[in-house]
Amino acid sequence: QECMKVHLFSFNQLNMAGFFRIDGSTRKNLPQNIAKKASTAMNVGDVVIATSGQVDVAVGSSVLLLGICTTKIASTDTDYASTTAVAVEQIDPNAVYSATVSTGSATAASIGVQYDLDDANSITVSGTTYKQVKVVGFISATEVLVTFNPNLL
């Protein structure tokens, strides 16, 4: 019998900040197209929230998380100032995501601790007020594996 090997690579090595589902999804998370807030830049991997029925990027204090953006919107895009739809994948609380650490330095001791978002595409291992994510794996000082707090979804 041949075993399949799974290799985890670092999204930081690809210069991709954000949250990327890597394992454990218990449902098919097909992206949904939802109208975005006008004049808002978004990157693939950004955590998003709903604001007045439109998608907006999350901030460190966001406590009702909608999903992960799978569409890049830049200020130079022709539809930047409009409320066109963007693809959003609903966060699965059973899935593991790769996450960028932008404030503080993660260590193996970070595993099991709940931390805050720093912004839409990273976490802080210095903040534990909102506890949006729980570290379940350590990759490096700037990248960890997380699950999202199911009480905030």
Side-chain angles (χ1 to χ4, degrees):
Q1 247 184 6
E2 192 174 314
C3 294
M4 182 185 352
K5 290 185 178 180
V6 177
H7 297 279
L8 179 64
F9 64 92
S10 172
F11 285 96
N12 284 343
Q13 292 172 342
L14 299 174
N15 293 321
M16 294 178 68
F19 295 85
F20 299 94
R21 183 169 43 97
I22 59 165
D23 188 32
S25 181
T26 58
R27 62 176 179 245
K28 292 181 179 176
N29 284 337
L30 298 175
Q32 299 177 10
N33 292 321
I34 305 171
K36 69 172 183 65
K37 182 179 172 187
S39 302
T40 301
M42 297 179 190
N43 288 300
V44 173
D46 280 357
V47 175
V48 294
I49 59 173
T51 303
S52 301
Q54 296 175 332
V55 173
D56 196 2
V57 292
V59 296
S61 60
S62 297
V63 291
L64 290 177
L65 310 177
L66 176 64
I68 307 291
C69 185
T70 61
T71 305
K72 180 175 176 60
I73 301 294
S75 60
T76 55
D77 290 351
T78 57
D79 63 346
Y80 173 74
S82 64
T83 58
T84 54
V86 294
V88 175
E89 180 181 300
Q90 183 181 7
I91 294 172
D92 183 341
N94 298 307
V96 175
Y97 295 81
S98 170
T100 303
V101 177
S102 59
T103 301
S105 294
T107 66
S110 302
I111 295 173
V113 180
Q114 290 182 308
Y115 292 109
D116 299 344
L117 295 177
D118 200 22
D119 52 32
N121 62 23
S122 63
I123 69 167
T124 171
V125 292
S126 300
T128 58
T129 302
Y130 302 101
K131 300 179 180 180
Q132 295 104 328
V133 297
K134 179 180 180 180
V135 174
V136 296
F138 171 77
I139 297 173
S140 71
T142 59
E143 188 173 11
V144 292
L145 302 178
V146 301
T147 57
F148 281 88
N149 184 339
N151 297 322
L152 302 178
L153 304 178

